[in-house]
Amino acid sequence: MSRVQTVTVGPGDGDQRLDRWLKRLFPQLAQGRIEKMCRKGEIRVDGARAKASTRLEIGQQVRIPPLPEPGQVVAQAKPKSSVAVTDADAEMMRAAVLWKDDNVIALNKPPGLATQGGSGQTRHVDGLSEALTFGMDEKPRLVHRLDKDTSGVLLLARSRAVAKGLTEAIRHRETRKIYWALVAGVPTPYLGEIKYGLVKAPGHGRGGEGEKMRAIHPAEIETTPGAKRAHTLYATLYRVASRAAWVAMEPVTGRTHQLRAHMAEIGHPIIGDGKYGGSGQENLGDGWGAQLGGVISRKLHLHARTMAFLHPVTRKPVTIHAPLPQHMADSWQTLGWEEDYADEDPFEKLR
């Protein structure tokens, strides 16, 4: 076993999770052991207790307790999330690539595939990205995420430096993301903004399952513990009488479930969204229920259509468009819409 040591986070190692930084320095460490040392307070960052997910900054000092030497066997259960990438999953991931160069990969994430591991999630983009090395030594890194049932553009960085650049660009709102959705009813005015704050409401399950975001009136954000400001632009593109509408949305802020919670709050839940749609019943244009009935799929109709960003290496603008997933393409066909009906920038009049 090694002795207690203190390691300074060096250049190029900033803005990454503590557990990933530790695994790079000490490959013999299992995830479970890292999390246990964090829970017991054995690992500290600048003298303070830290979680495995704590993001490190350059210059911080990390206290590391005695560790097993490389090759030393330590009894440790294999993480449940450690699964091999099957040939079918590898083919699926490569088919999802929309665009790539030596620095960035853009995927069209399928609906139903989680971005990262979590409670009960063993199959996710982060794990399956082992299939996307394309000759490089390391798998690409996630720089943002999409909900499990949301499809569309998802960026991965092919190096730590590029990941840091993209993460900072997203954090400082230097990227643009435009989503498409099919919603119940027709939002009016057709072009507008939603500024309800959001606060996490606990789930009802033993492990907190079912937690969701609750909308807060802007005037009550400051006095509501845990509430954060949230801002969404929306544009009603096409409609079917008063029953449903094709809506484009641009999240100005990036809160959990922001688009889903905001659309439900103004009475136009996204079709297929049982969590925020009030119920799984058919919506009759009254803002209650998250289904349209008939042949329209019951899956969530929310898609990250466009992502525009400044390339972190070439500094040239890049815009990625993701075609609709099959269930949404079928709904569009049923409703008589084509993807090219939408303007490139539906929010030009708001700028």
Side-chain angles (χ1 to χ4, degrees):
M1 301 286 283
S2 65
R3 296 182 178 182
V4 174
Q5 55 187 305
T6 300
V7 180
T8 301
V9 180
D13 284 341
D15 197 28
Q16 65 175 302
R17 287 171 55 113
L18 172 61
D19 53 359
R20 292 178 181 172
W21 179 80
L22 284 167
K23 285 180 181 178
R24 189 175 63 80
L25 292 181
F26 308 102
Q28 73 272 27
L29 283 181
Q31 181 70 22
R33 184 173 179 84
I34 293 174
E35 292 177 358
K36 183 177 181 179
M37 290 189 294
C38 288
R39 287 195 302 271
K40 294 172 67 177
E42 295 176 341
I43 296 177
R44 293 182 175 259
V45 178
D46 284 346
R49 298 174 73 100
K51 297 180 180 179
S53 60
T54 296
R55 300 198 80 86
L56 300 176
E57 298 297 336
I58 295 173
Q60 286 185 316
Q61 303 232 314
V62 182
R63 177 198 182 276
I64 302 170
L67 301 176
E69 299 294 340
Q72 182 176 347
V73 177
V74 178
Q76 178 70 42
K78 186 177 182 180
K80 293 182 180 179
S81 60
S82 179
V83 293
V85 180
T86 66
D87 290 343
D89 277 340
E91 183 177 351
M92 178 271 295
M93 289 292 288
R94 291 171 189 141
V97 174
L98 293 168
W99 179 89
K100 70 179 177 71
D101 65 7
D102 291 340
N103 303 286
V104 182
I105 294 176
L107 295 182
N108 187 4
K109 187 189 83 65
L113 180 64
T115 303
Q116 291 176 291
S119 178
Q121 295 292 340
T122 59
R123 184 172 176 269
H124 45 78
V125 173
D126 193 30
L128 299 181
S129 63
E130 294 281 2
L132 302 178
T133 55
F134 296 112
M136 288 195 170
D137 294 334
E138 296 181 272
K139 71 174 186 177
R141 297 168 168 80
L142 293 168
V143 295
H144 65 117
R145 56 171 294 167
L146 295 173
D147 290 345
K148 178 180 177 181
D149 293 322
T150 302
S151 57
V153 183
L154 185 69
L155 298 184
L156 295 91
R158 305 187 74 181
S159 71
R160 186 174 293 105
V162 170
K164 182 179 181 182
L166 285 174
T167 300
E168 289 180 348
I170 292 170
R171 181 180 301 152
H172 296 303
R173 302 176 189 174
E174 296 170 352
T175 62
R176 288 194 67 193
K177 288 181 276 187
I178 296 176
Y179 291 73
W180 283 355
L182 177 63
V183 306
V186 181
T188 53
Y190 293 153
L191 184 65
E193 302 176 85
I194 307 170
K195 293 187 176 181
Y196 282 95
L198 296 173
V199 63
K200 185 177 292 185
H204 302 294
R206 181 176 299 177
E209 297 87 356
E211 69 178 15
K212 59 190 291 187
M213 305 305 289
R214 182 166 60 91
I216 302 294
H217 190 279
E220 300 175 354
I221 295 174
E222 296 297 334
T223 58
T224 303
K228 296 182 179 180
R229 295 192 177 277
H231 185 189
T232 299
L233 309 180
Y234 76 85
T236 305
L237 304 182
Y238 290 89
R239 59 193 178 92
V240 180
S242 61
R243 287 294 312 284
W246 170 4
V247 172
M249 293 172 286
E250 181 174 353
V252 180
T253 54
R255 310 301 183 197
T256 300
H257 294 178
Q258 176 177 317
L259 303 181
R260 297 164 62 186
H262 269 176
M263 293 311 296
E265 182 63 21
I266 66 171
H268 301 287
I270 297 172
I271 297 303
D273 192 353
K275 181 184 285 285
Y276 292 95
S279 78
Q281 71 185 32
E282 184 176 343
N283 194 298
L284 301 178
D286 56 3
W288 184 260
Q291 303 299 337
L292 284 182
V295 298
I296 301 298
S297 171
R298 297 179 66 85
K299 294 180 180 179
L300 183 69
H301 284 63
L302 178 60
H303 178 68
R305 165 65 176 180
T306 301
M307 188 157 187
F309 59 97
L310 200 63
H311 195 286
V313 176
T314 67
R315 309 309 295 169
K316 294 181 179 179
V318 179
T319 300
I320 308 294
H321 298 299
L324 291 171
Q326 192 60 54
H327 73 282
M328 289 183 68
D330 290 343
S331 296
W332 259 235
Q333 183 176 22
T334 298
L335 298 171
W337 299 332
E338 300 285 347
E339 292 187 31
D340 59 8
Y341 286 1
D343 292 335
E344 180 74 16
D345 184 1
F347 305 103
E348 189 173 1
K349 293 181 181 178
L350 289 178
R351 300 190 177 282

